[in-house]
Amino acid sequence: MKKLRNILSLVFIFLFFAGLLFNYYKQNSSYEVTEFLFDTTCTVSANGKNAKIACKEAFSEIEEIHTLTNFYSDTSDVSKINHAKEYEPVVIDKRTMEILSVALEVCEKSGGAFDITIAPLSVLWDFKREKPDIPTKTDINLAKEKINYKNMVIDKENLTVLKKNAETKIDLGAAAKGYASDKAVEIFKKYNISAVIDLGGNVSCTGKNSNSKNGLWKIGLQTPFKQTGSYEKTVEIAEGTVVTSGTYQRFFEIDEKKYHHIIDPKTGYPKEASYNAVTITGKSSLLADCLSTACFVLGKEQGVKLANYYNVEIYYY
Ligand code: AMP
Ligand code: MG
């Protein structure tokens, strides 16, 4: 009898410590960070050994990409390019070059529906203002004349970029988040752990989802203008990215008309469309980011063609 009691006590002690250890491991194997960057809420969460270190490293990389591409900071690569003279070569970071290289290809393939030299128009519409107004037709036409991605010349080997026209200015708002997301994924892969990177409407997943039987990630596509969490559709992905461009993300309203932030470079006005969102799912978040904006402007018919060319899934809703 005494022997049995001793055995039971040992089993109890073992279970107690095993529970403590399990809890300790659980706490140290999942981690989440949220920060406000790229003018949106960015959350990175990871599951696995070194989750905390990996999340911190991923966030510092995301911050660096934000710093390089920040339109409003005088020291960013984007500012250096924007303030450069005609044909003056500007040396940029390798990462900015990677963004420019993919983005300029999408500019070309979309026939200019996507155009990173949209800055004169995005400054004019400025969706950050407290009291926005509609720009005048004259100002829109003046801004439109300055927009042409063909004025940008990149030299990938020497990491330089030059503009054929001093007035050309770039805005990487439609691409930088996607790239930051890709770079964060690289870090989690290095640590070999699962993670979700959510940079406001731009979600990337890596590794297996330990909360689902098949290891896949379920991402809800937000129904435009409905309460957060009401989904139009849910997509299931393994490794990959789900990126949305939508009219509901940034807009203002005047006389009951909505003006959103996705500008058609041909008209100079927010793209008029029968849909409110375009979602791209694929492997590269940088490409998906460029494509979601490009396909929004292109419209369904040409947008689907472009998505097929790049072998990504597309949803209009
Ligand atoms: P996204 O949310 O990825 O669709 O990006 C929208 C942001 O990209 C806007 O806030 C602008 O900064 C910029 N943008 C707007 N229209 C265009 C366009 N046609 N081509 C490239 N960038 C654009
Ligand atoms: Mg985009």
Side-chain angles (χ1 to χ4, degrees):
M1 193 62 192
K2 202 174 165 202
K3 205 175 169 191
L4 183 68
R5 221 184 303 145
N6 278 346
I7 291 172
L8 280 174
S9 304
L10 275 175
V11 169
F12 177 76
I13 291 167
F14 172 79
L15 286 176
F16 177 76
F17 281 107
L20 276 183
L21 245 153
F22 177 73
N23 243 344
Y24 173 84
Y25 178 75
K26 216 177 141 198
Q27 273 168 24
N28 283 280
S29 67
S30 54
Y31 197 76
E32 189 173 295
V33 198
T34 297
E35 274 185 41
F36 196 82
L37 279 174
F38 295 107
D39 213 21
T40 188
T41 306
C42 300
T43 303
V44 167
S45 50
N47 216 303
K49 204 174 159 217
N50 293 320
K52 187 173 174 179
I53 305 173
C55 277
K56 293 202 162 170
E57 202 175 313
F59 238 112
S60 87
E61 180 70 14
I62 293 169
E63 275 167 9
E64 279 185 35
I65 289 148
H66 175 256
T67 305
L68 289 170
T69 57
N70 189 353
F71 184 83
Y72 299 96
S73 144
D74 286 343
T75 52
S76 69
D77 274 356
V78 165
S79 267
K80 281 197 273 174
I81 294 167
N82 288 347
H83 292 114
K85 299 186 188 90
E86 224 163 77
Y87 290 98
E88 175 194 355
V90 178
V91 181
I92 55 168
D93 190 279
K94 188 169 165 271
R95 292 164 290 182
T96 314
M97 182 56 86
E98 281 181 36
I99 302 177
L100 286 178
S101 155
V102 172
L104 283 169
E105 191 192 288
V106 176
C107 290
E108 181 78 41
K109 297 275 184 246
S110 68
F114 181 77
D115 195 323
I116 54 165
T117 67
I118 198 82
L121 276 172
S122 33
V123 165
L124 204 56
W125 282 96
D126 190 3
F127 290 86
K128 284 184 169 182
R129 281 171 301 174
E130 288 220 343
K131 278 195 182 155
D133 53 22
I134 306 158
T136 65
K137 188 91 194 131
T138 317
D139 284 345
I140 285 181
N141 285 338
L142 281 172
K144 257 170 59 183
E145 281 170 22
K146 297 174 191 164
I147 293 163
N148 189 353
Y149 67 91
K150 289 180 181 157
N151 287 333
M152 304 293 302
V153 183
I154 54 170
D155 178 342
K156 291 189 213 174
E157 236 163 70
N158 294 309
L159 293 180
T160 58
V161 51
L162 59 81
K163 308 183 297 186
K164 291 182 189 166
N165 178 342
E167 294 207 76
T168 303
K169 290 192 176 12
I170 60 166
D171 166 3
L172 297 180
K177 276 193 292 173
Y179 183 69
S181 198
D182 285 339
K183 295 304 275 184
V185 165
E186 274 178 24
I187 288 163
F188 291 112
K189 277 190 187 294
K190 185 180 79 181
Y191 281 96
N192 200 18
I193 56 175
S194 307
V196 179
I197 299 112
D198 182 350
L199 311 181
N202 189 322
V203 183
S204 290
C205 308
T206 178
K208 285 210 167 14
N209 180 0
S210 56
N211 293 320
S212 87
K213 275 188 192 150
N214 56 10
L216 299 178
W217 305 90
K218 268 191 180 160
I219 319 276
L221 307 188
Q222 174 67 37
T223 307
F225 302 109
K226 289 273 162 65
Q227 206 181 344
T228 307
S230 82
Y231 298 130
E232 184 76 20
K233 179 183 170 69
T234 306
V235 292
E236 244 188 348
I237 56 164
E239 293 268 338
T241 190
V242 180
V243 181
T244 301
S245 283
T247 59
Y248 59 98
Q249 292 162 333
R250 208 163 293 164
F251 67 93
F252 61 74
E253 214 164 337
I254 291 178
D255 294 334
E256 288 174 30
K257 188 171 163 57
K258 286 190 174 73
Y259 297 88
H260 64 83
H261 70 138
I262 305 163
I263 310 292
D264 184 346
K266 284 204 179 82
T267 63
Y269 285 83
K271 169 72 184 179
E272 297 255 5
S274 57
Y275 44 84
N276 280 306
V278 174
T279 297
I280 301 280
T281 72
K283 292 274 170 255
S284 153
S285 196
L286 166 60
L287 178 64
D289 202 356
C290 297
L291 288 177
S292 65
T293 314
C295 295
F296 192 101
V297 177
L298 277 176
K300 282 186 195 168
E301 210 184 307
Q302 291 186 65
V304 169
K305 277 188 195 157
L306 187 65
N308 287 342
Y309 173 81
Y310 278 109
N311 203 16
V312 296
E313 295 284 324
I314 186 164
Y315 310 95
Y316 284 87
Y317 52 103

